[in-house]
């Protein structure tokens, strides 16, 4: 062997990776030489029987000169957004209930809305469950209708089994159980329950979405709730007042309810058209309609 160790170290044999690197560089140069400029962009000429065309190419971003060219542009912006389906629809409306010594007054407006649209001006939000008990519900119209249907069925079952109508406190508990049963997919309904109990005293019950309830002097729910509660705190609950509190007759309470809904209608676009008022006593239910502004 004429070669010495020193000559072998000076001229080592190329490795496999070096061969691969050379072949990659050769293919890159041959591809780069094949492209041509078109409108300021690199393009690869393609010859066919249909005619010559060019395909934009880029060696920095693979075969796509614009890495975002294949992205879907949803409309006029690339800002992130989320599409979603909601099973609920808020149809607005306001309810109010006030209890008295021997009566209860419950009222609700008759406007049905969706967003900035008025769907109807004459839809009741009050539903008589017995001759001495009325449910007022605002929120999603379909959920309210379903809740009423379920309650009516339970009321009929009770009447058939016990041969008598359900008392107002029992209706309040039944409504609580019904709402709690749907706590994982609640009824989108904001409820107040008004009536007279077995002693003939007015009873008003306030609820949350999943059935927690309490008996209160008054209750309001719906889109105009925040406008009615402070007023009721003053004129009904007599909070932060120095004059003597007195028992109000039902006629005076009805006038207060009318003024309250006029006030709510001035600030809440979902409250208006008319307010339906029911006065509940041991003799039964009296109904009255009071017109509100229609804009």
């Amino acid at each position: 062997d004429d070669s010495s160790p020193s000559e072998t170290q000076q001229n080592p044999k190329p490795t496999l990776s070096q061969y691969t690197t050379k072949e990659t560089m050769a293919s890159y140069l041959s591809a780069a030489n094949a492209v041509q400029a078109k409108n300021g962009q690199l393009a690869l000429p393609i010859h066919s029987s249909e005619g010559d065309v060019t395909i934009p190419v880029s060696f920095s971003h693979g075969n796509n000169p614009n890495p975002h060219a294949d992205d879907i542009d949803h409309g006029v912006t690339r800002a992130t957004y989320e599409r979603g389906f909601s099973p609920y629809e808020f149809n607005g409306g306001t309810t109010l209930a006030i209890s008295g010594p021997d009566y209860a007054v419950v009222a609700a407006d008759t406007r049905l809305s969706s967003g900035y649209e008025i769907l109807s001006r004459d839809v009741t939000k009050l539903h008589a469950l017995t001759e001495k008990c009325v449910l007022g519900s605002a929120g999603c119209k379909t959920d309210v209708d379903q809740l009423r249907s379920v309650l009516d069925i339970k009321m009929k079952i009770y009447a058939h089994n016990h041969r008598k109508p359900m008392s107002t406190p029992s209706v309040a508990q039944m409504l609580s159980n019904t709402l709690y049963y749907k706590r994982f997919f609640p009824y989108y309904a904001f409820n107040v329950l008004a009536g007279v109990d077995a002693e003939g005293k007015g009873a008003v019950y306030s609820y949350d979405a999943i059935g927690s309830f309490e008996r209160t002097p008054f209750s309001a729910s719906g889109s105009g709730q925040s406008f009615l509660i402070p007023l009721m705190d003053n004129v009904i609950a007599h909070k932060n007042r120095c004059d003597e509190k007195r028992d109000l007759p039902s006629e005076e309470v009805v006038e207060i309810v009318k003024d309250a809904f006029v006030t709510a209608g001035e600030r809440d676009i979902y409250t208006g058209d008319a307010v339906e008022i029911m006065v509940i006593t041991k003799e039964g239910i009296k109904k009255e309609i009071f017109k509100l502004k229609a804009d």
Side-chain angles (χ1 to χ4, degrees):
D1 188 4
D2 295 336
S3 63
S4 61
S6 60
E7 291 179 355
T8 305
Q9 293 176 358
Q10 291 177 359
N11 300 311
K13 294 182 179 180
T15 62
L16 179 61
S17 61
Q18 289 175 331
Y19 277 124
T20 305
T21 303
K22 289 182 180 180
E23 292 176 356
T24 302
M25 290 298 297
S27 61
Y28 175 85
L29 293 175
S30 61
N33 292 331
V35 301
Q36 62 186 19
K38 181 179 181 183
N39 295 330
Q41 295 183 347
L42 296 178
L44 183 66
I46 302 296
H47 305 284
S48 69
S49 59
E50 301 294 332
D52 296 340
V53 296
T54 56
I55 300 176
V57 296
S58 172
F59 293 100
S60 60
H61 297 289
N63 291 330
N64 192 347
N66 182 4
H68 300 291
D70 294 331
D71 293 349
I72 299 175
D73 186 5
H74 302 276
V76 297
T77 178
R78 290 187 181 276
T80 57
Y81 71 99
E82 179 181 356
R83 288 190 183 275
F85 166 75
S86 174
Y88 297 124
E89 169 75 12
F90 180 66
N91 297 122
T94 303
T95 64
L96 173 65
I98 302 171
S99 63
D102 57 353
Y103 65 87
V105 177
V106 60
D109 72 304
T110 60
R111 177 173 293 179
L112 183 70
S113 306
S114 178
Y116 292 106
E117 298 180 51
I118 297 177
L119 304 180
S120 177
R121 299 183 185 274
D122 188 23
V123 173
T124 181
K125 296 179 179 65
L126 303 181
H127 182 67
L129 295 172
T130 69
E131 294 181 356
K132 299 180 182 179
C133 183
V134 176
L135 173 67
S137 303
C140 180
K141 181 65 168 61
T142 54
D143 276 13
V144 169
D145 289 343
Q146 176 65 17
L147 176 61
R148 290 176 179 177
S149 177
V150 171
L151 294 177
D152 285 341
I153 292 171
K154 292 184 177 181
M155 298 291 293
K156 290 179 180 179
I157 293 174
Y158 181 92
H160 283 300
N161 290 338
H162 298 276
R163 299 293 189 268
K164 65 177 182 179
M166 192 180 296
S167 66
T168 298
S170 298
V171 174
Q173 184 64 58
M174 181 190 67
L175 175 58
S176 173
N177 296 345
T178 304
L179 294 174
Y180 188 73
Y181 179 79
K182 288 275 291 180
R183 64 192 179 277
F184 298 116
F185 190 9
Y187 293 111
Y188 194 37
F190 310 107
N191 302 289
V192 296
L193 188 70
V196 291
D197 58 19
E199 300 176 358
K201 296 180 180 179
V204 167
Y205 299 88
S206 178
Y207 290 82
D208 70 358
I210 58 173
S212 178
F213 74 107
E214 62 175 338
R215 185 168 177 172
T216 59
F218 67 89
S219 180
S221 69
S223 56
Q225 179 188 43
S226 59
F227 304 111
L228 299 184
I229 292 293
L231 179 60
M232 296 300 109
D233 281 336
N234 182 265
V235 299
I236 300 299
H238 218 75
K239 293 181 179 179
N240 301 317
R241 295 181 60 165
C242 298
D243 55 328
E244 183 180 355
K245 183 179 180 180
R246 61 187 178 87
D247 290 334
L248 301 176
S250 61
E251 295 80 11
E252 188 172 347
V253 171
V254 168
E255 295 303 316
I256 291 174
V257 168
K258 293 177 182 179
D259 289 340
F261 273 87
V262 170
T263 300
E266 291 292 336
R267 292 288 182 177
D268 178 30
I269 64 173
Y270 301 111
T271 301
D273 296 314
V275 55
E276 183 181 13
I277 305 171
M278 291 187 179
V279 181
I280 311 165
T281 62
K282 60 182 180 180
E283 285 79 23
I285 301 172
K286 295 181 181 179
K287 179 180 174 182
E288 178 181 350
I289 300 292
F290 178 71
K291 291 293 184 180
L292 302 173
K293 67 176 187 176
D295 59 354

